[in-house]
Amino acid sequence: MKNLVLVMITGFLLVSCSSSDKKSEENVKLVTNYVNAVENLDYSAMDGILDDDYVGIGPSREDSINKENAIKNWKNNVENLYEKISYSKNRNIAVNTPEGEWVSNWADLTITYKGSGKQVSILSNTIYQIQDGKIIKSITFYNEADALEQLGYVFINPDDL
């Protein structure tokens, strides 16, 4: 009888772990597909992956955007600013927390600008919250000042003027 109980508990734990691993794999694949959609400027795929109630936060503390404006913003950037977006050293990892299922994407992102051909290399981390097979939230971190300096901007302390 003890062996039967032990076998049942072991089986339950294996099934629990494998379903959790499967969910993590699905979430990583979803984020991989989203990153590919961004890189390929595939707005239709972006629209299908982001939840209707999606909220994007960052890179600045006060930056926040909804799904409609996120896609509109990508279109505007591509039509007016970006010639190409490419990811390298792109890695994803899934994490389950009491607040939900998340996938963290670390990447070295290169943006080539239209007209000037200038390139900016950004070390970026975006954390995506996944619910029911959709991205419901993202929080993005990267050094905006570094990106602007790569474009030639100079920062001056107003007290020095």
Side-chain angles (χ1 to χ4, degrees):
M1 184 65 160
K2 286 182 188 179
N3 288 340
L4 180 59
V5 171
L6 185 57
V7 167
M8 289 175 58
I9 291 172
T10 303
F12 174 75
L13 289 174
L14 288 173
V15 169
S16 296
C17 290
S18 65
S19 66
S20 175
D21 289 346
K22 183 175 179 180
K23 186 62 135 177
S24 293
E25 287 176 23
E26 290 171 3
N27 291 339
V28 166
K29 184 173 180 167
L30 181 74
V31 168
T32 300
N33 290 342
Y34 184 73
V35 168
N36 288 338
V38 169
E39 193 170 23
N40 295 319
L41 312 175
D42 185 346
Y43 310 116
S44 177
M46 294 163 100
D47 183 60
I49 294 169
L50 297 178
D51 187 80
D52 288 340
D53 295 326
Y54 165 81
V55 174
I57 301 168
S60 295
R61 184 178 296 272
E62 299 299 320
D63 290 347
S64 177
I65 199 164
N66 64 16
K67 176 182 177 175
E68 178 185 348
N69 288 322
I71 294 171
K72 190 184 299 185
N73 191 45
W74 273 113
K75 284 181 181 178
N76 181 57
N77 286 343
V78 169
E79 290 170 3
N80 299 300
L81 295 174
Y82 303 159
E83 180 179 311
K84 182 180 177 185
I85 301 168
S86 58
Y87 286 75
S88 64
K89 302 177 189 171
N90 184 21
R91 299 291 181 263
N92 295 314
I93 186 166
V95 178
N96 252 328
T97 70
E99 294 80 26
E101 301 168 12
W102 299 81
V103 174
S104 179
N105 171 266
W106 289 91
D108 189 348
L109 176 68
T110 301
I111 300 172
T112 305
Y113 285 81
K114 287 184 175 182
S116 69
K118 288 185 179 183
Q119 289 189 329
V120 172
S121 180
I122 300 169
L123 296 174
S124 172
N125 178 232
T126 301
I127 304 166
Y128 298 94
Q129 186 175 18
I130 314 297
Q131 185 176 324
D132 299 325
K134 298 277 189 172
I135 296 173
I136 63 169
K137 180 189 261 183
S138 67
I139 305 169
T140 300
F141 305 91
Y142 67 87
N143 186 338
E144 288 182 282
D146 179 45
L148 291 170
E149 284 180 325
Q150 290 178 56
L151 289 172
Y153 287 80
V154 178
F155 297 93
I156 299 171
N157 184 335
D159 295 338
D160 293 340
L161 295 175

